Amino acid sequence: MAMKISFEFLISGFTVGCSLTRENFSFASLDISYTVPIPEQCKEGWKGEVLEEPSIRSESDYNIQCYCPATGRLLGRVKPAYPEDIDKAIAKSAAAQEEWAKTSFDERKRVLRSLLKYVLVNQDTIITAACLDSGKTRIDAALGEILVVVEKIKWVLNNGEKALGPERRNMNLWGLFVLAFLGIKGSENTAWSSDYFVSTIRGALAACGHNPDLVQSITCWPEVAPHLTSHPRLAHITFIGSRPVAHHVAASASKSLTPLCIELGGKDAAIILDDVPNIKALSSLLMRGVFQSASQNCIGIERMVVLPKVYPKLVEILEERIKKIRPGSVLDDDEVDCGAMVSAAGFDKLESWIEEAVRKGARCLVGGKRLVHPKYPQGHYFSPTLLVDVTEDMLIAQNETFAPICVLMRAKDVTHAIHLANSTEYGLGGSVFGRNKQDIDRVVREFKSGMVSVNDFGVYYLNQSLPFGGVRGSGYGRFAGVEGMRAVCNVKAVCEDRFPRLMSTAIPPVVDYPIGDGNRGWRFTKGLIELAYGESWGRVAGGLWKLLTNM
């Protein structure tokens, strides 16, 4: 019997499997230039109203009040979706999906190539939108909003078609079928930029002659979200957020049995062995790992677990460098290293964790408190912080901070370092730095996490050929890579005869209904099993004999 795998077009929206080679090149693969309206707030010279008490909740209406967390300037107000709006969005996408399911890989490549071109041509606008809505710096936005996106698109262009293309297997045939809906439910804290970013994707679809309704952006308040997450027409949900919210999403999705990929928080540890060759050079990588995007990075370094010989020197270097970090609004001031926090809601908690750690013996060498910025008093800033001598019994060692706080923990040896790295409920990513291959291999093997970088930080996120996701309290499922692409597809197993004209499946008379002799039929069936799966030649021969004498 011949078996093969056929991955029919996944296509949750624009993340489509495709590739471009000399063999399959056609003019349909060429990209198209297009434009989408640029938000007024992204244009040079824009100055918005500064809110006295910035909040996404408006006192006057139900709308989402969008503002720049770096300055407190009002960006606009977004009307949140109600249940009926969610129903309409899903219906529109489902209708567009019926036509999209009939498109070829060449047509889908064209959309992706057009989108890639748009992103590269319009980097300044995209970066500005990201900075306005999240408070991050241009460099952080380039790494998070541009670099990862274009890497994703290029990977899918180069590898997606192969990942979803037919392949033969020994005993099964399975296919990937079209998903009914691509919806993006963004955070209320970044509702303003979500509309613009989604418009760039819809623009690529429209420019290439496809229905832009395929991709829908939904922004709603938490009390309405269950209507979306329990919707019976959703084929898959990828949730990125906190563990408490994930419990609600999972419970809601279970009503419709919608499959989930859940990527939650992390308490990623960087284990630093005693034989690192250049501590000063390493400190640059560690600083980026901690403070990029003001530490609002799911794979950011939340803890440094350091062996004794390196510990004092690393503390000295980091203290000097962290004192020099300059928070601020990069759109208003070029001399900025670290942006704002998206929200100030967690500042009380962060300060209490630091205070508790100090009471238990930790030393706060830099920062430790929220920062009222002299230029941007309405902005959400937390002082870049260095907290050393942290132990595993402290709250800040167990809980994700998602804030510009550099935490150092002293490890006695490699065994203790691994214990500390695994001492939280999380298991997203991690890293190890050193030269001893035996020690490094042991750390990689015993790290209880979904991903590990060796002598590097977070490269498993940039490399879109790798499956991304965690274990334990950091969630389940994977996105990115072949595993991620196939995970958002429906699998169907199909079997067919290899040579149907010469041989086809038939029921032997001895087991055909009505069965004449049950004992003889049982001996025949037993012989068939032993012939096919016997663990020894004697068992196989005995099976063949039973088969032949009971036919």
Side-chain angles (χ1 to χ4, degrees):
M1 192 173 275
M3 306 296 173
K4 65 181 180 180
I5 269 193
S6 174
F7 294 110
E8 299 187 3
F9 303 145
L10 149 78
I11 300 297
S12 67
F14 70 99
T15 45
V16 187
C18 17
S19 67
L20 184 62
T21 65
R22 291 178 181 270
E23 290 72 23
N24 65 14
F25 175 81
S26 70
F27 285 104
S29 298
L30 296 177
D31 57 74
I32 293 179
S33 296
Y34 66 95
T35 61
V36 298
I38 297 176
E40 288 296 322
Q41 297 88 334
C42 292
K43 296 179 180 177
E44 189 174 352
W46 176 83
K47 298 290 183 183
E49 170 195 356
V50 177
L51 301 173
E52 290 187 11
E53 296 183 3
S55 171
I56 59 173
R57 290 279 186 179
S58 173
E59 295 182 357
S60 59
D61 54 39
Y62 191 63
N63 291 335
I64 299 170
Q65 185 170 258
C66 306
Y67 64 92
C68 176
T71 61
R73 289 181 183 140
L74 179 67
L75 294 171
R77 292 178 173 84
V78 172
K79 182 181 178 182
Y82 289 84
E84 55 268 29
D85 301 316
I86 294 173
D87 293 340
K88 291 177 183 177
I90 293 177
K92 285 183 178 180
S93 185
Q97 181 69 35
E98 291 183 9
E99 293 302 316
W100 179 253
K102 302 172 185 176
T103 59
S104 66
F105 274 114
D106 275 349
E107 291 176 289
R108 298 175 186 199
K109 293 177 209 174
R110 198 181 193 192
V111 175
L112 284 178
R113 290 172 64 83
S114 300
L115 178 61
L116 175 63
K117 182 177 181 178
Y118 180 90
V119 171
L120 294 174
V121 170
N122 294 276
Q123 290 184 67
D124 289 345
T125 302
I126 294 170
I127 293 295
T128 300
C131 292
L132 283 171
D133 215 7
S134 69
K136 62 178 63 177
T137 67
R138 285 191 179 93
I139 293 173
D140 292 342
L143 294 173
E145 273 67 36
I146 301 294
L147 184 60
V148 174
V149 169
V150 296
E151 164 67 15
K152 165 73 82 176
I153 295 172
K154 288 290 286 183
W155 183 87
V156 175
L157 282 169
N158 294 332
N159 301 280
E161 185 172 358
K162 181 180 179 181
L164 301 183
E167 63 179 69
R168 293 186 178 273
R169 296 197 175 185
N170 290 332
M171 285 303 295
N172 60 355
L173 166 68
W174 52 308
L176 300 182
F177 277 72
V178 184
L179 295 181
F181 168 61
L182 172 64
I184 300 171
K185 193 286 181 193
S187 167
E188 309 88 79
N189 289 295
T190 53
W192 175 78
S193 60
S194 294
D195 285 347
Y196 168 62
F197 293 148
V198 169
S199 75
T200 66
I201 305 168
R202 292 166 60 90
L205 287 164
C208 295
H210 305 292
N211 190 341
D213 285 344
L214 182 70
V215 180
Q216 298 289 326
S217 175
I218 295 173
T219 303
C220 62
W221 291 113
E223 55 266 27
V224 179
H227 186 79
L228 173 62
T229 53
S230 65
H231 205 285
R233 298 193 72 179
L234 292 186
H236 178 90
I237 296 175
T238 296
F239 172 77
I240 302 174
S242 70
R243 189 171 182 178
V245 177
H247 285 291
H248 293 292
V249 172
S252 180
S254 69
K255 297 176 182 177
S256 299
L257 297 179
T258 303
L260 295 172
C261 173
I262 293 183
E263 194 266 283
L264 308 180
K267 193 65 180 174
D268 291 11
I271 294 180
I272 301 159
L273 305 178
D274 272 334
D275 61 349
V276 288
N278 189 328
I279 302 176
K280 187 174 182 180
L282 173 62
S283 70
S284 293
L285 196 152
L286 295 174
M287 291 280 287
R288 171 61 59 182
V290 173
F291 294 105
Q292 182 170 309
S293 297
S295 306
Q296 298 162 113
N297 184 353
C298 61
I299 56 165
I301 296 176
E302 286 262 338
R303 298 170 295 155
M304 296 182 195
V305 179
V306 190
L307 268 63
K309 292 181 182 178
V310 181
Y311 192 92
K313 184 62 176 178
L314 185 59
V315 170
E316 178 186 337
I317 293 173
L318 290 175
E319 180 178 7
E320 180 183 355
R321 297 191 65 168
I322 293 172
K323 285 179 178 177
K324 296 177 181 179
I325 292 180
R326 301 162 297 180
S329 170
V330 73
L331 298 180
D332 301 281
D333 190 347
D334 291 333
E335 296 183 351
V336 171
D337 303 306
C338 184
M341 303 286 288
V342 170
S343 170
F347 284 3
D348 289 342
K349 177 179 61 180
L350 293 173
E351 290 176 343
S352 70
W353 288 348
I354 293 171
E355 291 168 1
E356 186 248 13
V358 171
R359 287 197 304 271
K360 289 185 174 182
R363 293 180 292 146
C364 185
L365 303 182
V366 184
K369 297 181 179 180
R370 71 192 73 195
L371 170 67
V372 178
H373 200 288
K375 290 185 179 180
Y376 318 108
Q378 273 70 43
H380 302 323
Y381 294 94
F382 199 89
S383 298
T385 297
L386 176 60
L387 190 66
V388 304
D389 300 344
V390 173
T391 55
E392 62 180 298
D393 62 322
M394 299 174 183
L395 290 172
I396 202 163
Q398 296 297 318
N399 294 279
E400 184 180 36
T401 62
F402 223 57
I405 301 173
C406 182
V407 170
L408 265 70
M409 305 178 74
R410 191 192 304 266
K412 300 173 185 177
D413 51 32
V414 175
T415 299
H416 188 217
I418 295 171
H419 165 77
L420 291 175
N422 293 333
S423 63
T424 74
E425 67 179 8
Y426 298 101
L428 186 57
S431 52
V432 56
F433 298 88
R435 288 188 293 186
N436 185 295
K437 191 174 188 314
Q438 184 176 353
D439 288 340
I440 289 175
D441 288 347
R442 181 188 173 194
V443 170
V444 170
R445 184 173 61 252
E446 297 182 20
F447 232 129
K448 294 180 180 178
S449 64
M451 304 161 292
V452 183
S453 288
V454 176
N455 289 317
D456 213 328
F457 147 71
V459 288
Y460 37 70
Y461 184 61
L462 172 61
N463 188 341
Q464 290 295 306
S465 67
L466 297 175
F468 185 94
V471 298
R472 302 195 294 169
S474 290
Y476 55 83
R478 296 293 183 268
F479 58 86
V482 173
E483 295 84 354
M485 180 169 286
R486 293 181 177 180
V488 290
C489 302
N490 295 323
V491 178
K492 176 177 283 187
V494 181
C495 296
E496 61 182 11
D497 291 319
R498 184 186 294 270
F499 306 111
R501 293 188 177 183
L502 299 178
M503 182 183 299
S504 61
T505 301
I507 303 298
V510 69
V511 291
D512 197 9
Y513 292 117
I515 297 173
D517 186 339
N519 289 327
R520 184 166 162 244
W522 155 237
R523 290 192 297 271
F524 175 88
T525 306
K526 185 178 179 181
L528 179 65
I529 293 170
E530 292 178 353
L531 173 64
Y533 300 102
E535 84 288 3
S536 66
W537 285 112
R539 181 84 64 189
V540 171
L544 178 59
W545 177 253
K546 291 184 181 73
L547 202 67
L548 294 175
T549 57
N550 291 281
M551 292 185 68

